[in-house]
């Protein structure tokens, strides 16, 4: 599925490896500093995996998002989301504000110009919205796709925060070496394997709501990956040089008659 042929062609040509990507991530809190259960765990899972800027609680504001997220390779929003299925401009993301909350609507996202490669939207209902014939779904995720994000994770309904935190933790663990789609697929298997036959936790409503669209082949690597790879090649090369040198050294010398 793609929102347009243009987006499909663009994401198809996107580079498939991001080296040492920078993340900007937000975990929601309301005016009383009450946090969404599980959102801190989500962002902590990102923070231990990749470098970047991480905003918790009162710092998870709209102004910080607009100021800091524009240059990031990955944007991760573990905040409130609200879809509007009757007005294509009515879907919103909800950030912290001392006055209560602050919203970012889809028009503002369309007019924003980020340079991110991957957008992680675990905010509720970020993948649904007004369905328009010939155009598809006008969702929050679509707005980020329009603005240049080539890979997008989004939610199809109101998802459980604690289940999402576990999925995201597995996802980022798998993302080092796997593609985005493979990491998500494996994360769901990890989640189901960890439920210990708990039918309530294993219900699809807790894990099937997160989907990935766009260039699902992209994978992330830190500099350590390439240091390890080339370091291993260098060690193998040196080993063979030493073995070859010793072999010639130990060969008996043939004296001329």
């Amino acid at each position: 599925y793609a929102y347009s042929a243009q987006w499909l062609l663009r994401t198809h040509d996107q580079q498939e490896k991001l080296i040492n990507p920078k993340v900007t991530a937000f975990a929601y809190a309301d005016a009383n500093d009450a946090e969404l259960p599980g959102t801190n765990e989500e962002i902590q899972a990102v923070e231990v995996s990749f470098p970047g800027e991480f905003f918790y609680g009162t710092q998870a504001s709209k102004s910080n998002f607009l100021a800091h997220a524009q240059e990031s390779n990955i944007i991760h929003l573990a905040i409130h989301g609200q879809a509007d299925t009757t007005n294509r401009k009515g879907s919103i993301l909800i950030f912290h504000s001392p006055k209560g909350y602050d919203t970012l609507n889809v028009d503002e996202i369309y007019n924003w110009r980020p340079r991110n490669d991957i957008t992680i939207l675990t905010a509720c209902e970020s993948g649904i919205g007004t369905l328009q014939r010939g155009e598809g779904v006008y969702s929050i995720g679509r707005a980020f796709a329009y603005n240049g994000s080539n890979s997008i994770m989004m939610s199809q309904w109101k998802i459980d925060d604690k289940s999402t935190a576990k999925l995201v933790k597995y996802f980022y663990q798998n993302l080092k070496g796997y593609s985005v789609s493979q990491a998500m697929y494996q994360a769901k298997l990890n989640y189901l394997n960890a439920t210990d036959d708990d039918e309530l936790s294993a219900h699809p409503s807790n894990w099937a709501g997160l989907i990935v669209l766009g260039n699902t082949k992209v994978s992330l690597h830190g500099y350590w990956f390439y240091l390890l790879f080339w370091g291993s090649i260098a060690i193998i090369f040196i080993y063979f040089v030493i073995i070859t040198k010793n072999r010639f050294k130990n060969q008996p010398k043939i004296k001329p008659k």
Side-chain angles (χ1 to χ4, degrees):
Y1 179 84
Y3 291 115
S4 68
Q6 183 181 12
W7 189 57
L8 180 64
L9 291 172
R10 189 188 74 218
T11 56
H12 183 268
D13 294 334
Q14 182 202 22
Q15 62 175 317
E16 294 190 358
K17 289 184 180 178
L18 295 179
I19 312 303
N20 210 40
K22 178 188 175 183
V23 182
T24 302
F26 293 78
Y28 179 82
D30 64 19
N32 298 317
D33 298 340
E35 299 164 351
L36 279 174
T39 57
N40 277 2
E41 294 179 43
E42 274 189 56
I43 304 309
Q44 287 164 2
V46 188
E47 194 168 0
V48 299
S49 301
F50 297 100
E53 296 180 288
F54 305 91
F55 299 90
Y56 296 88
T58 57
Q59 296 300 311
S61 63
K62 177 180 177 180
S63 59
N64 276 337
F65 171 75
L66 295 175
H68 295 272
Q70 195 165 12
E71 301 295 332
S72 296
N73 301 106
I74 304 173
I75 296 173
H76 187 123
L77 297 178
I79 59 176
H80 273 308
Q82 183 176 312
D84 191 328
T85 57
T86 59
N87 177 9
R88 72 181 191 180
K89 297 183 179 181
S91 297
I92 57 173
L93 290 170
I94 303 172
F95 290 87
H96 170 83
S97 171
K99 298 179 181 180
Y101 61 88
D102 206 351
T103 63
L104 182 73
N105 62 48
V106 290
D107 267 358
E108 291 176 286
I109 300 172
Y110 277 117
N111 292 322
W112 190 48
R113 286 294 179 267
R115 295 178 178 85
N116 62 301
D117 299 283
I118 300 174
T119 303
I120 309 294
L121 299 171
T122 58
C124 290
E125 301 181 338
S126 53
I128 61 176
T130 306
L131 178 61
Q132 184 167 327
R133 186 175 180 180
E135 292 292 336
V137 179
Y138 278 89
S139 64
I140 296 167
R142 183 193 182 106
F144 279 97
Y146 176 86
N147 260 339
S149 185
N150 295 308
S151 300
I152 302 173
M153 181 193 295
M154 63 190 80
S155 62
Q156 298 295 87
W157 51 73
K158 293 181 179 179
I159 50 181
D160 179 71
D161 291 319
K162 292 183 178 180
S163 300
T164 302
K166 293 177 182 177
L167 273 171
V168 167
K169 181 179 179 180
Y170 292 133
F171 172 75
Y172 278 102
Q173 289 173 351
N174 295 328
L175 201 52
K176 292 183 175 181
Y178 285 98
S179 68
V180 172
S181 59
Q182 289 172 327
M184 188 74 262
Y185 170 73
Q186 192 61 45
K188 290 178 178 180
L189 292 182
N190 294 147
Y191 173 83
L192 290 172
N193 289 333
T195 55
D196 295 325
D197 298 323
D198 180 353
E199 293 185 5
L200 184 60
S201 296
H203 193 277
S205 63
N206 290 320
W207 56 267
L210 288 176
I211 63 170
V212 178
L213 291 184
N215 184 355
T216 59
K217 296 180 180 180
V218 66
S219 60
L220 312 182
H221 299 284
Y223 289 127
W224 63 268
F225 175 85
Y226 289 92
L227 289 173
L228 180 63
F229 175 78
W230 290 112
S232 301
I233 296 295
I235 291 171
I236 293 171
F237 176 76
I238 293 169
Y239 172 79
F240 276 105
V241 168
I242 293 172
I243 292 296
T244 304
K245 185 177 180 180
N246 289 337
R247 182 178 297 172
F248 281 108
K249 185 178 180 180
N250 295 328
Q251 281 182 351
K253 294 181 178 180
I254 300 174
K255 295 181 179 181
K257 292 183 179 179

